[in-house]
Amino acid sequence: METAFECIMCGQCCQGSGGIVATREEQQAMARFLKLDLAAFQDLYIRSIKDKSFVQTDEQGLCLFFDKDRGCVVHAVKPRTCRAWPFFRGNLMDESSFEMAREYCAGISSKVSFDDFIRQGLCYLDENNLSEDKMP
């Protein structure tokens, strides 16, 4: 069976104006990884809107943790949302969303079928405790 997705750290999924929600636990993990205390980490990398905290982006809309030469500098402890890509609900439920994601992301195999993408995606989410029923 064709592998559905293999991250090539190109940064395509690291851009966008919406931002990545980061829970307090995720922020703490990233702060430890970067050897910062939580307050310093939050000052540098997090913006809060109402009751949600988001990883900040630069002027071009790229996540502050993306480095064009190294990829994600917090890859080992990146937030759940980032770890779940490209196996988002919309991509798993709607074939046209899957096709758009495949055009956008070079890490999604051009040869994998939608059905295989779904099967592999659900397994990946379950194996990595990223399924919605396992969300904190």
Side-chain angles (χ1 to χ4, degrees), residues 29-48:
M30 290 184 285
R32 278 191 304 274
F33 185 79
L34 297 172
K35 298 177 178 32
L36 295 170
D37 67 54
L38 183 59
F41 173 84
Q42 290 170 327
D43 286 344
L44 290 168
Y45 299 108
I46 299 296
R47 69 179 164 81
S48 294

Side-chain angles (χ1 to χ4, degrees), residues 80 83-85 87-88 92 117-135:
R80 292 173 66 86
R83 288 188 285 136
W85 175 260
F87 302 116
F88 290 172
L92 293 171
F117 180 83
I118 292 169
R119 274 191 286 283
Q120 290 179 46
L122 293 174
C123 286
Y124 172 84
L125 294 173
D126 191 51
E127 289 168 1
N128 290 280
N129 294 316
L130 296 168
S131 299
E132 288 184 15
D133 61 332
K134 296 181 181 178
M135 295 288 245

Side-chain angles (χ1 to χ4, degrees), residues 22 41 63 112:
F41 173 84
C63 174
V112 71

Side-chain angles (χ1 to χ4, degrees), residues 36-88:
L36 295 170
D37 67 54
L38 183 59
F41 173 84
Q42 290 170 327
D43 286 344
L44 290 168
Y45 299 108
I46 299 296
R47 69 179 164 81
S48 294
I49 300 174
K50 297 187 181 180
D51 62 339
K52 292 199 181 211
S53 297
F54 299 86
V55 174
Q56 293 189 58
T57 56
D58 66 14
E59 310 80 50
Q60 289 79 38
L62 272 169
C63 174
L64 290 182
F65 296 120
F66 181 76
D67 178 284
K68 66 179 179 72
D69 297 320
R70 298 185 297 159
C72 179
V73 298
V74 295
H75 188 74
V77 293
K78 63 187 177 182
R80 292 173 66 86
T81 301
C82 300
R83 288 188 285 136
W85 175 260
F87 302 116
F88 290 172

